């Protein structure tokens, strides 16, 4: 397996409920290393740019409103097979369908307020990491 990097976001529903550490603990216990991390509040324009791929989806506006409703914690995760491993630890988008023991099953409030984001491919991970971090901020 190859060492990969992926982008994780701890979403506003989780930061609001003081679950930043609880979510990070799940990631670290799965063997993922947090090699960069910052807490910030996305502007509307930033949220729309980050989720541009979903612009035509019916939930796009609501999603951007949610993602700007409070602070997020963006992270770069590094490890073996990091992209897939992070998605496995997060669980399915809809917490009702997420497997037991996953972040979304245990913490998510709804299909929208689902506590965590994880890149869905190595290619998207590179783009999403560059959206939040410069190379000098990532320390493996
Ligand atoms: P992910 O890769 O598992 O995060 O899922 P997607 O890329 O399909 O969707 C991006 C984000 O949009 C999800 O994590 C949710 O926060 C939100 N989302 C997805 N599907 C829905 C939906 O049907 N309704 C609403 N309100 N939000 C959704």
């Amino acid at each position: 397996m190859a060492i990969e990097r992926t982008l994780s976001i701890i979403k506003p529903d989780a930061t609001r409920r003081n679950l930043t550490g609880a979510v990070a603990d799940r990631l670290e216990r799965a063997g993922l290393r947090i090699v960069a991390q910052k807490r910030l509040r996305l502007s509307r324009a930033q949220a729309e740019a980050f989720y541009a791929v979903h612009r035509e989806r019916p939930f796009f506006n609501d999603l951007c409103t949610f993602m700007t409703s409070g602070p997020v914690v963006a992270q770069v995760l590094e490890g073996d097979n990091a992209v897939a491993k992070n998605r496995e630890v997060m669980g399915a988008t809809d917490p009702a369908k997420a497997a037991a023991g996953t972040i979304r099953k245990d913490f998510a409030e709804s299909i929208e307020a689902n506590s965590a984001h994880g890149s869905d491919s190595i290619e998207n991970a590179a783009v999403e990491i560059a959206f939040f971090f410069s190379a000098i901020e990532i320390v493996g």
Side-chain angles (χ1 to χ4, degrees):
M1 272 190 281
I3 298 288
E4 297 171 356
R5 286 178 174 173
T6 191
L7 185 85
S8 161
I9 304 176
I10 302 175
K11 294 186 178 183
D13 66 289
T15 61
R16 177 169 45 76
R17 288 175 289 150
N18 213 21
L19 293 171
T20 298
V23 173
D25 182 54
R26 298 293 181 96
L27 301 171
E28 290 189 332
R29 277 201 274 154
L32 295 161
R33 302 183 68 83
I34 300 168
V35 296
Q37 178 165 263
K38 64 173 74 162
R39 179 176 166 106
L40 62 132
R41 186 153 182 174
L42 289 169
S43 68
R44 182 87 196 176
Q46 288 168 335
E48 288 179 357
F50 184 78
Y51 280 116
V53 61
H54 292 313
R55 196 170 288 278
E56 304 306 323
R57 309 275 285 272
F59 56 81
F60 177 72
N61 256 324
D62 286 346
L63 174 61
C64 291
T65 299
F66 164 63
M67 289 299 289
T68 57
S69 67
V72 299
V73 176
Q75 303 168 313
V76 179
L77 307 179
E78 185 179 86
D80 272 339
N81 214 14
V83 172
K85 187 177 284 183
N86 182 36
R87 294 199 50 100
E88 190 184 313
V89 176
M90 281 198 307
T93 310
D94 182 352
K97 297 180 182 153
T102 59
I103 290 169
R104 285 165 165 173
K105 181 70 175 183
D106 291 345
F107 299 130
E109 295 182 318
S110 66
I111 192 170
E112 177 179 271
N114 59 3
S115 302
H117 166 87
S119 308
D120 63 3
S121 67
I122 294 181
E123 295 72 27
N124 284 342
V127 173
E128 293 182 355
I129 288 169
F131 185 91
F132 283 98
F133 296 96
S134 60
I136 203 170
E137 294 176 304
I138 304 170
V139 185

